[in-house]
Amino acid sequence: MGKTKSEKDNWDANLYDIKHSFVSKYGDSLVEMLEPKAGEKILDLGCGTGDLAKKLSDCKIDVVGIDKSANMIKQAKSKYPNIKFSVQDAIDLSYNNEFDAVFSNATLHWVKPPKKALTCIYNSLKHGGRFVAEFGGKGNVHTITNEIIIQINKAGIEFKKEHFPWFYPSIAQYSSLMEEVGFRVILAQHFDRPTELTGDSGLKNWIDMFASNMFEDIPNDKKDFIITNVEDNLKEVLYKDGNWIADYKRIRVIGIKE
Ligand code: BEZ
């Protein structure tokens, strides 16, 4: 998890658990890709409220969960008091040759600059250790974010590109960065994963939870007006049988520290 709204901790951990638990549910298949082995020491980078760290802990992994959001870490600690969690920024880690694996689900699209995070991840791993990650790739949620930008501009407000909080690389771009810091990239995938945002308010809930940065400096009444226009314009494309379907595009990578 990154921070939204400049450096404020804007994450509502309860809302995240109640309305957006699909994030860690989708992470189950990434845990399978990680192939955790009992006794390994694994860093869960961007652990959110700790559900995947708990899964790893149940596999007898010595897991450390870190997240930049203090709200998320507080919730993780109260849900899973026996797991080690701490507030840390992925671009400022001081681990050295400590982990058998670094695991990261749905986080690295928030982290800039990406190379700084990759250097920290590389340093955190033992020689031969693996980095297994999934996050938003090139074109992720483009239909939604593009319509938000169009509607902000239509409301007479210039959208500033520094208010776009994410980094959505292609696999070519991200694999190159991984190689530059020393990884051998053994897997890189880019795939569509249409993601259901449940109910009539699904799109609005998603925007409120994840895209509030895009509305920085915009008063609430204008924000509501813009979101209503976004919903109206996207209904034909993204709304089906009572639910919204977001155009998620994921990248998955595995790198080995050599
Ligand atoms: C993602 O997991 O791809 C994502 C989640 C929230 C906002 C943007 C992207």
Side-chain angles (χ1 to χ4, degrees), residues 3-258:
K3 279 186 188 170
T4 58
K5 271 210 172 160
S6 313
E7 282 306 299
K8 266 189 264 161
D9 188 347
N10 217 30
W11 289 99
D12 181 332
N14 278 317
L15 197 64
Y16 182 79
D17 271 348
I18 294 165
K19 291 226 162 85
H20 303 279
S21 58
F22 68 83
V23 177
S24 51
K25 291 206 180 91
Y26 273 118
D28 286 350
S29 62
L30 192 68
V31 172
E32 280 168 29
M33 238 166 123
L34 173 68
E35 297 181 11
K37 289 162 210 67
E40 283 189 319
K41 186 168 179 186
I42 296 183
L43 181 66
D44 180 0
L45 188 155
C47 62
T49 61
D51 295 345
L52 293 175
K54 166 75 167 104
K55 275 220 156 87
L56 294 176
S57 169
D58 289 345
C59 301
K60 305 209 175 337
I61 300 300
D62 179 8
V63 60
V64 177
I66 60 168
D67 202 289
K68 193 174 173 186
S69 160
N71 293 343
M72 292 292 194
I73 289 296
K74 189 169 168 224
Q75 178 102 328
K77 281 182 174 171
S78 83
K79 282 162 73 179
Y80 309 116
N82 297 325
I83 298 179
K84 286 168 258 174
F85 290 108
S86 67
V87 178
Q88 291 197 56
D89 190 337
I91 59 167
D92 191 22
L93 303 178
S94 49
Y95 298 114
N96 238 309
N97 299 311
E98 281 185 47
F99 293 96
D100 297 292
V102 174
F103 170 84
S104 184
N105 178 52
T107 292
L108 289 164
H109 47 253
W110 295 105
V111 181
K112 298 177 198 169
K115 196 168 174 184
K116 212 165 171 193
L118 280 168
T119 303
C120 289
I121 291 165
Y122 187 85
N123 291 340
S124 302
L125 286 166
K126 296 175 186 168
H127 186 76
R130 62 205 187 279
F131 166 48
V132 178
E134 176 177 327
F135 57 102
K138 189 169 181 210
N140 194 36
V141 289
H142 180 258
T143 309
I144 299 174
T145 55
N146 192 46
E147 189 62 34
I148 294 173
I149 292 169
I150 289 172
Q151 292 305 330
I152 289 177
N153 287 329
K154 266 199 175 160
I157 301 160
E158 191 199 343
F159 181 77
K160 300 196 186 87
K161 70 175 189 312
E162 61 269 27
H163 289 167
F164 191 88
W166 306 288
F167 162 68
Y168 295 139
S170 69
I171 46 178
Q173 203 181 351
Y174 203 69
S175 299
S176 296
L177 289 174
M178 288 173 69
E179 287 175 354
E180 280 168 32
V181 307
F183 280 111
R184 180 164 66 95
V185 180
I186 62 165
L187 178 135
Q189 298 173 327
H190 189 198
F191 56 96
D192 290 323
R193 198 201 64 203
T195 298
E196 185 180 294
L197 312 174
T198 311
D200 271 359
S201 316
L203 179 60
K204 183 180 169 16
N205 291 339
W206 185 92
I207 293 172
D208 283 340
M209 181 81 203
F210 296 116
S212 58
N213 260 53
M214 296 184 78
F215 295 87
E216 188 120 32
D217 306 330
I218 299 181
N220 276 339
D221 56 333
K222 274 211 166 157
K223 178 179 172 185
D224 290 344
F225 172 77
I226 290 164
I227 293 176
T228 303
N229 287 344
V230 169
E231 288 178 315
D232 288 348
N233 278 9
L234 292 185
K235 200 141 200 173
E236 214 164 282
V237 204
L238 297 183
Y239 187 77
K240 227 180 170 191
D241 304 328
N243 295 308
W244 292 88
I245 310 292
D247 54 329
Y248 274 46
K249 290 186 171 50
R250 321 305 293 164
I251 79 168
R252 278 186 171 181
V253 290
I254 302 181
I256 305 294
K257 176 170 178 172
E258 292 194 331

